[in-house]
Amino acid sequence: SGELTLSVAADVQSFLHQEAKIERPYSLNAKIELVETCLGKSRREVEEEFARRNPEREKRETQHAICSDRLRVSFSISKELSDKLNQLKDLLGHVDPSMTTESLLERLAEIGLDRFDPQRKAARARVQKANRKFKLEQDQEPEIEVTELQNRSMLGEDAGSLGLSSASESVTSAAEVKRSRYIPAEQRHRVESDGGGCSSQGVDGRRCGSTKFLQLDHIRPYARGGANDAANLRWMCGAHNRARTEVPRASDLR
């Protein structure tokens, strides 16, 4: 009658063999009932029926070699984990716009190994020790000590003759902080994110919402004195951030 395709029949047979291997054999009537349940269904619908009957079946992980340096891995994951992986892909989109699940897992594996692998920890410790030793050697270079400068001042020696600026000038220059577009990590982490992605809104009032290539944007432009604090920052996608910079809105010029 065509209600049962050969591919579905083969899947049913494989399922019954697997159930028998884990000591869950089906009786003849149970097999007939399963076949009747699969009549007129697609392979995807049949797979869902198998998962309903044996939820543990889909949790098994299989690996098959497809060449000398490649493996085909098959396993199922929860919807929650899939959403987390997709969110990570979006957050790392500026690093690799075409990031695949494989490249994401490789990146996560490197992060995990850097944190937990004893050999990598030991190598990192040796490098840090060498850097500290080098810095210590640099700090021990001979230089005029502060106490000596104070003694010279008490003896009435002119600061200009020593090639030094006056104390007031030193304090003034130290207090001056050069403006920079660099946003410290502390301020970046304080910028609130409601999970809605890009905050740019079109003329119709609809929010962009893109979660890829997000950048921090100054609400009051930096060129017009905008500060780098969290209250003056928001998340925008790269395209809308560049468009806003090229064509500033009237509200930005106030």
Side-chain angles (χ1 to χ4, degrees):
S1 64
E3 293 179 281
L4 189 70
T5 64
L6 289 176
S7 57
V8 169
D11 290 342
V12 171
Q13 184 182 36
S14 298
F15 174 74
L16 292 173
H17 284 317
Q18 292 170 359
E19 292 293 279
K21 286 182 179 180
I22 60 174
E23 298 182 354
R24 289 183 49 171
Y26 277 48
S27 65
L28 178 59
N29 290 335
K31 292 179 181 179
I32 294 175
E33 183 270 332
L34 175 59
V35 172
E36 291 177 346
T37 302
C38 296
L39 293 178
K41 291 185 176 181
S42 65
R43 295 191 70 181
R44 180 181 295 275
E45 291 172 328
V46 171
E47 285 292 331
E48 292 176 356
E49 176 64 25
F50 294 160
R52 185 185 67 79
R53 292 173 179 252
N54 183 3
E56 295 297 322
R57 177 176 180 271
E58 291 301 319
K59 295 182 179 180
R60 291 196 297 270
E61 180 178 324
T62 60
Q63 292 186 6
H64 301 286
I66 56 178
C67 62
S68 60
D69 61 344
R70 301 288 296 178
L71 295 173
R72 183 182 302 279
V73 180
S74 176
F75 60 94
S76 63
I77 60 175
S78 66
K79 178 64 166 56
E80 181 181 5
L81 177 56
S82 177
D83 292 341
K84 291 179 180 179
L85 293 177
N86 289 331
Q87 183 181 3
L88 273 176
K89 287 181 183 179
D90 289 344
L91 294 173
L92 296 173
H94 64 286
V95 178
D96 183 1
S98 58
M99 178 172 288
T100 62
T101 302
E102 179 187 2
S103 57
L104 174 61
L105 292 177
E106 183 175 2
R107 190 178 186 88
L108 293 176
E110 285 295 323
I111 294 175
L113 288 173
D114 281 341
R115 181 173 181 180
F116 298 110
D117 184 16
Q119 294 183 353
R120 295 197 182 193
K121 286 183 178 181
R124 190 161 56 246
R126 288 194 295 270
V127 172
Q128 293 174 350
K129 182 178 180 180
N131 290 338
R132 286 195 299 269
K133 181 179 179 182
F134 176 77
K135 186 176 184 302
L136 183 62
E137 292 174 350
Q138 293 294 108
D139 293 341
Q140 290 178 348
E141 291 183 357
E143 57 185 13
I144 300 177
E145 300 205 5
V146 177
T147 53
E148 182 179 349
L149 294 178
Q150 292 175 345
N151 291 337
R152 293 184 181 184
S153 177
M154 292 175 63
L155 293 174
E157 294 190 34
D158 182 37
S161 65
L162 298 176
L164 302 174
S165 58
S166 65
S168 59
E169 291 176 348
S170 300
V171 173
T172 302
S173 60
E176 294 177 353
V177 179
K178 184 179 180 181
R179 285 193 79 215
S180 171
R181 288 184 177 272
Y182 173 74
I183 301 174
E186 180 183 1
Q187 295 297 333
R188 293 177 64 90
H189 296 159
R190 287 182 178 179
V191 180
E192 296 183 0
S193 175
D194 56 6
C198 175
S199 59
S200 176
Q201 293 184 347
V203 293
D204 57 354
R206 297 182 61 182
R207 181 171 177 166
C208 168
S210 174
T211 57
K212 291 187 176 182
F213 309 111
L214 292 179
Q215 303 172 355
L216 280 177
D217 171 64
H218 291 80
I219 299 175
R220 177 176 178 80
Y222 176 86
R224 296 185 174 274
N228 285 344
D229 54 50
N232 191 48
L233 297 171
R234 61 185 172 185
W235 291 104
M236 294 183 70
C237 67
H240 280 123
N241 194 9
R242 289 190 296 272
R244 179 177 181 270
T245 303
E246 294 169 359
V247 186
R249 294 175 299 190
S251 61
D252 297 335
L253 303 178
R254 289 198 293 266

